[in-house]
Amino acid sequence: MMINRRAFSAALVAGAAASLLTTRGIAATSAPVKARNIVLAHGLFADGSCWTEVITRLQAAGLNATAVQNPLTTLPEAAASVKRVLDRQDGPTVLVGHSFSGMMVTEAGVHPNVSALVYVAARAPDAGEDYTALAKTFPTPPASAGIVFDGDEGRLSEAAFLRDFAGDLPEARAKVLYAVQQPFQKPLLTGKTTAAAWRSKPSWYAVSTEDRTIDPDLERFMAKRMGAKTIELTASHLSLISHPDEITRLILEAAGQNAD
């Protein structure tokens, strides 16, 4: 019997979900460990300043927040940048990742200082999983067509950045973010995680329902697979900027803090 690509993809995803029902990560159902330290990682087309709105709120709540500057070179180097910051923390730490940096959170989150993980519209692969192959079983997000390369150096075009990456931000704000966009190196996209921290650490996930950079159904699939406590926001890929109150509350919950 012939089977078309769409049907095959649906079957593949369904099979993967079924096979993981008994092996998913630790759900965020019990009381989280109280943590004062928050480490935040950024993904492609950005730098650490994308966390400014969230950092302001975390500091107001009395927490110690640190944004990692992702080198955007290779996955091992990106994960190492997170581990160096985690080494400096003085106790339980919530590790937060947006977009591509979910790969870094998944890899570096096994660090003993990490008490919980928070994924914000982020990649969440299993150990050794080909994320690109997984993503291809879902519709291709529009932003993918806007990536332009100069040799091995990639960035998002201005039109795609404003429309598909930061679509729910005021244009003036989005243009500032575009101006500080950091280029990434092609080898970064080929890396595979060697660990899956969400299998041993409680996890939270914020899905962006209007995301045009990662398919929202892929986000939902990854969140469900890891057993994460999940919220959904009517937001673009940059929910950490357009919905900082909600993202901050999610982080505070993962840190065992009163989010009121």
Side-chain angles (χ1 to χ4, degrees):
M1 179 180 69
M2 297 294 291
I3 182 169
N4 63 34
R5 182 177 179 275
R6 182 181 296 274
F8 175 76
S9 296
L12 179 64
V13 172
S19 68
L20 285 162
L21 285 176
T22 59
T23 58
R24 64 174 50 173
I26 296 177
T29 52
S30 58
V33 173
K34 199 171 186 66
R36 286 192 60 259
N37 302 311
I38 313 296
V39 171
L40 307 125
H42 71 85
L44 307 184
F45 323 126
D47 68 4
S49 68
C50 67
W51 286 107
T52 299
E53 296 295 330
V54 171
I55 289 171
T56 299
R57 288 161 172 78
L58 292 173
Q59 290 176 339
L63 301 186
N64 172 41
T66 307
V68 177
Q69 292 295 348
N70 180 355
L72 299 171
T73 50
T74 68
L75 180 58
E77 290 175 352
S81 70
V82 175
K83 291 175 183 176
R84 286 192 295 272
V85 175
L86 291 173
D87 286 341
R88 299 200 299 267
Q89 306 309 304
D90 60 1
T93 301
V94 176
L95 180 56
V96 186
H98 171 245
S99 192
F100 175 87
S101 72
M103 302 278 290
M104 299 149 63
V105 168
T106 299
E107 180 77 2
V110 295
H111 192 288
N113 282 343
V114 175
S115 58
L117 311 171
V118 178
Y119 293 82
V120 180
R123 300 185 182 197
D126 204 347
E129 183 172 47
D130 185 336
Y131 176 84
T132 299
L134 173 65
K136 285 181 179 178
T137 64
F138 292 82
T140 301
S144 297
I147 299 175
V148 293
F149 285 96
D150 296 316
D152 283 345
E153 190 174 88
R155 57 179 53 80
L156 204 58
S157 70
E158 182 174 13
F161 193 103
L162 300 181
R163 180 184 62 244
D164 302 324
F165 189 67
D168 61 346
L169 299 184
E171 184 174 333
R173 175 71 168 122
K175 284 187 173 182
V176 170
L177 293 168
Y178 172 76
V180 300
Q181 173 186 186
Q182 295 299 299
F184 68 91
Q185 299 296 312
K186 273 186 179 179
L188 183 67
L189 304 180
T190 61
K192 294 181 181 178
T193 55
T194 62
W198 50 263
R199 289 195 173 277
S200 58
K201 305 288 177 81
S203 303
W204 281 254
Y205 199 110
V207 172
S208 287
T209 64
E210 308 306 307
D211 205 320
R212 293 170 62 85
T213 301
I214 296 179
D215 184 77
D217 283 336
L218 174 55
E219 294 177 12
R220 294 182 180 106
F221 168 80
M222 292 184 291
K224 182 177 181 180
R225 178 172 68 170
M226 71 172 71
K229 178 167 183 180
T230 303
I231 64 171
E232 296 208 357
L233 300 174
T234 305
S236 73
H237 194 56
L238 290 181
S239 60
L240 67 169
I241 298 175
S242 63
H243 291 71
D245 290 332
E246 293 91 331
I247 297 300
T248 301
R249 281 197 293 270
L250 191 68
I251 295 170
L252 289 174
E253 181 179 334
Q257 303 285 339
N258 185 343
D260 295 333

